[in-house]
Amino acid sequence: MTVVDTVRTRRPSGPLRLSHLDALESEAVHIFREAAAEFERPVLLFSGGKDSIVMLHLAAKAFWPERVPFGLLHVDTGHNFPEVLEFRDRAVAEAGVRLEVARVQDYIDDGRLRERADGTRNPLQTVPLLDAINAHRFDAVFGGGRRDEEKARAKERVFSLRDEFGQWDPRRQRPELWALYNGRHRPGEHVRVFPLSNFTELDVWQYIEREGIELPSIYFAHQREVFRRGGMWLTAGDWGGPKPEETPEKRSVRYRTVGDMSCTGAVDSTAGTVQEIIAEIAASTLTERGATRADDKLSEAAMEDRKREGYF
């Protein structure tokens, strides 16, 4: 379903009563419009994952009938899932927006970065991200982070200031009373903006269902050859798995979140529809990152440490 279809089919026929999804959508649209009005060169981080797809859908609503007035940026680790990259390119073409891709592989090839011993490239995204922000002089970067995902993200503001080195200092956060957002920053600094901050994983899926938003097939249950490592089901690939002692097996799985193949785990699932996924998430006691992201398990403060260095 397109943005035009949802706008036309959801005109109220009586007194307007906002559902919780309406309220979240209204807040996100307000954030997009505030940032577009306040900053000169915003960009939206777009990986082809569900949160970035929902962000692009909300941005299209915020500025409809005009096109989205800013481009997209993806930091490609080189270990992304092919299904997600194919969907990313198709979604960008359909939206008619510009996509900039910063590639970790380019930094490894010319010696600016080195491969990690564990094969994961997620921590290596920070330098290409900051270089792309500086090269294109982006002053606002929309991200799909949500407060329910992880404790470091839970305490971050909607407008989150980054210093001239791209680093986050929790002590410099600004109050956001009455949904008033302060985007002031010095030359060289920029602001990360999180329109989905108050969405939960369940909200995201309920919104996807309501809006009829298309997603990569990897989010739905399918048969895949996986192997067990660190308590997670990982997909074999050029990144270095499986090891000789790790035995691949075919299982019915799906992905709750997508990122670098080396640190993103699948979950056992038979949920093949959005409705079935909603029921599955409603019964879950683990957050999506807690259940499926090895990079968040490196230490208790793994996410906060990376955010301080300039990560998403």
Side-chain angles (χ1 to χ4, degrees), residues 114-154:
R114 289 189 296 178
E115 291 274 19
R116 290 166 52 95
D118 59 8
T120 183
R121 289 185 176 179
N122 248 35
L124 304 183
Q125 291 177 295
T126 301
V127 173
L129 170 65
L130 296 179
D131 283 354
I133 291 171
N134 291 330
H136 296 283
R137 294 183 290 114
F138 296 131
D139 53 359
V141 181
F142 294 105
R146 307 189 320 269
R147 287 172 173 151
D148 75 315
E149 290 182 286
E150 201 274 340
K151 54 183 176 290
R153 286 182 168 172

Side-chain angles (χ1 to χ4, degrees), residues 108-184:
I108 293 172
D109 291 343
D110 63 20
R112 285 178 288 176
L113 290 174
R114 289 189 296 178
E115 291 274 19
R116 290 166 52 95
D118 59 8
T120 183
R121 289 185 176 179
N122 248 35
L124 304 183
Q125 291 177 295
T126 301
V127 173
L129 170 65
L130 296 179
D131 283 354
I133 291 171
N134 291 330
H136 296 283
R137 294 183 290 114
F138 296 131
D139 53 359
V141 181
F142 294 105
R146 307 189 320 269
R147 287 172 173 151
D148 75 315
E149 290 182 286
E150 201 274 340
K151 54 183 176 290
R153 286 182 168 172
K155 66 183 182 183
E156 190 163 16
R157 301 286 192 260
V158 173
F159 275 35
S160 183
L161 182 67
R162 295 297 196 274
D163 66 17
E164 62 270 28
F165 302 106
Q167 298 174 336
W168 176 57
D169 183 354
R171 295 168 299 182
R172 293 185 67 199
Q173 295 196 107
R174 297 157 174 171
E176 293 179 338
L177 305 174
W178 307 293
L180 296 175
Y181 304 112
N182 183 353
R184 286 187 295 177

Side-chain angles (χ1 to χ4, degrees), residues 226-247:
V226 293
F227 64 94
R228 197 74 170 168
R229 180 185 295 178
M232 297 190 304
W233 293 112
L234 299 180
T235 298
D238 296 337
W239 57 269
K243 297 176 182 177
E245 66 273 15
E246 295 168 333
T247 305

